[in-house]
Amino acid sequence: MTKPNAYMEHLVAMDQDLCKYRPLSRIICHDDFDKGMCGWMDLHPNYVGKNFNTLRYSQVDKTQWGPVMLSSASFRLAGTHGSMNGTYSLKLSTRPIANGYTEAPAPGSLSHGIKRLTTHLPEGRRQFEMWYAYTPEQDREGLSEESVRAFGVFFDIQDEAHRYFIGARYLNAVNGKAVKRWQVFRAADVTDLEWAYGVENDWCKRGIDAMWYGRRRPDGSTDGFEWVPGGSQELCYNESDDKINWNYLRLLIDTKTRTYVELQSGNTVFDLRGMAPTLTAPYAKIKGLFNPGIWVENDQNRRVFFYVDSVVISGE
């Protein structure tokens, strides 16, 4: 468990919206989506080829990923929820299409939000905090929690020597069967070709973009993620798909050692010390990259939604 730092111990006053967080000494951004998108947007491929097409074929088609938008969280029966504190949250929405778990994700089966930042602090601890909710579209009878396959948070970082994805995924369901376990980004010992579903010269290398790359197995394990020890957790979902409950999530990492520190979900803290992401060679033109990201994936042919009330990114 992290302890209050000297900055926070001597703080005289704090924005009341920050009181539901426990940031490190330097707040990099406090994104309250009642104030707008705050720089968050959906992920697109690099449209740099002829006629603004992508340069190379990939098994994963990111042109159809679901949109990112501001939402008042309205439902057909419950009406408007609003956000945890205010009216608007950031909403990620998939399209109503899904492949089986062991296949490559179907175009549109994920929605991905990203904020494009660069680093400005000395290497050290960084933290991602948010309050979030999730639910499938209320388009049919019954309780459909298992329509949500997974969601997660991460940092996409490139320093002087490496690029790496470091983050956590909550695997909620696999082919309609509940799993409810946390994983962290860490690639298996596979080739770049295996990582990219057998596509030669794919732009994505082992360890990058594990949200949709890396082979998946029926038990929920993948070539892109490693199980968190003791990481099973039942989250509060409520009794109907038109009701949402706001959940707290905190991920603490160390960019100096390039390691995980801890993950907090609700009032449960998972000790991640000793775990590390997969380091890859640097990519061109993105030195100093420090992109926080979030995503959600569906498990059935229906839309699922992920709502984020606010986000705090902080460092030391």
Side-chain angles (χ1 to χ4, degrees):
M1 180 77 73
T2 57
K3 297 180 180 179
N5 52 60
Y7 173 82
M8 299 302 293
E9 287 178 346
H10 295 90
L11 196 63
V12 176
M14 178 188 288
D15 184 329
Q16 64 175 358
D17 288 336
L18 280 173
C19 291
K20 59 181 183 284
Y21 292 103
R22 44 177 307 183
L24 302 177
S25 59
R26 297 190 179 185
I27 296 175
I28 298 171
C29 56
H30 173 206
D31 297 335
D32 180 349
F33 298 110
D34 276 308
K35 299 176 182 177
M37 298 290 289
C38 299
W40 288 83
M41 63 178 296
D42 50 350
L43 185 69
H44 292 291
N46 297 323
Y47 296 114
V48 296
K50 185 177 180 180
N51 295 322
F52 298 102
N53 289 318
T54 56
L55 288 175
R56 284 177 283 184
Y57 169 77
S58 176
Q59 178 67 32
V60 177
D61 179 7
K62 293 187 292 184
T63 65
Q64 298 301 310
W65 286 158
V68 175
M69 66 192 81
L70 295 179
S71 173
S72 58
S74 295
F75 293 84
R76 60 183 296 181
L77 298 180
T80 300
H81 283 267
S83 61
M84 179 180 172
N85 291 102
T87 302
Y88 294 105
S89 59
L90 190 72
K91 177 183 177 183
L92 281 63
S93 173
T94 71
R95 303 189 190 281
I97 183 171
N99 283 340
Y101 182 78
T102 57
E103 302 174 64
S109 62
L110 287 87
S111 182
H112 183 297
I114 190 169
K115 180 164 181 161
R116 300 189 179 278
L117 301 176
T118 56
T119 187
H120 73 295
L121 298 175
E123 293 178 336
R125 292 193 171 192
R126 303 288 185 269
Q127 186 167 263
F128 188 121
E129 297 178 272
M130 70 177 181
W131 285 86
Y132 70 93
Y134 63 97
T135 183
E137 183 175 21
Q138 193 183 22
D139 60 350
R140 63 197 71 176
E141 298 174 351
L143 186 64
S144 305
E145 181 182 2
E146 280 72 38
S147 293
V148 179
R149 176 172 291 169
F151 57 81
V153 303
F154 65 90
F155 290 108
D156 179 5
I157 297 174
Q158 181 157 308
D159 55 28
E160 295 286 346
H162 302 284
R163 184 183 182 187
Y164 58 98
F165 276 63
I166 184 166
R169 178 174 89 150
Y170 184 73
L171 184 61
N172 182 61
V174 169
N175 295 334
K177 182 179 179 180
V179 177
K180 301 184 180 300
R181 291 177 65 186
W182 287 100
Q183 301 170 318
V184 293
F185 283 71
R186 181 174 174 81
D189 186 16
V190 297
T191 65
D192 289 343
L193 186 65
E194 291 171 317
W195 182 259
Y197 301 104
V199 176
E200 294 278 359
N201 299 316
D202 191 279
W203 65 273
C204 194
K205 304 303 179 184
R206 170 181 170 267
I208 302 298
D209 287 341
M211 298 81 70
W212 46 77
Y213 280 97
R215 293 173 300 182
R216 302 175 176 193
R217 299 173 185 83
D219 66 351
S221 63
T222 85
D223 284 345
F225 290 92
E226 183 176 309
W227 297 108
V228 170
S232 295
Q233 185 181 28
E234 181 86 23
L235 298 180
C236 181
Y237 180 75
N238 220 307
E239 303 94 351
S240 175
D241 295 336
D242 65 344
K243 298 177 181 178
I244 57 177
N245 289 81
W246 296 100
N247 299 277
Y248 174 72
L249 186 67
R250 179 176 62 87
L251 174 69
L252 180 64
I253 65 168
D254 192 324
T255 63
K256 185 174 183 178
T257 58
R258 304 186 187 95
T259 57
Y260 294 95
V261 180
E262 64 185 18
L263 172 71
Q264 180 176 353
S265 174
N267 59 2
T268 301
V269 178
F270 301 99
D271 187 350
L272 305 182
R273 288 172 295 181
M275 305 184 77
T278 300
L279 306 180
T280 64
Y283 279 39
K285 299 184 181 297
I286 56 172
K287 180 181 176 181
L289 191 75
F290 183 68
N291 288 349
I294 52 180
W295 86 97
V296 65
E297 181 179 359
N298 65 11
D299 196 61
Q300 299 178 11
N301 292 327
R302 66 189 304 186
R303 297 197 301 167
V304 302
F305 307 137
F306 192 75
Y307 301 91
V308 180
D309 168 78
S310 53
V311 171
V312 172
I313 309 294
S314 59
E316 292 179 338

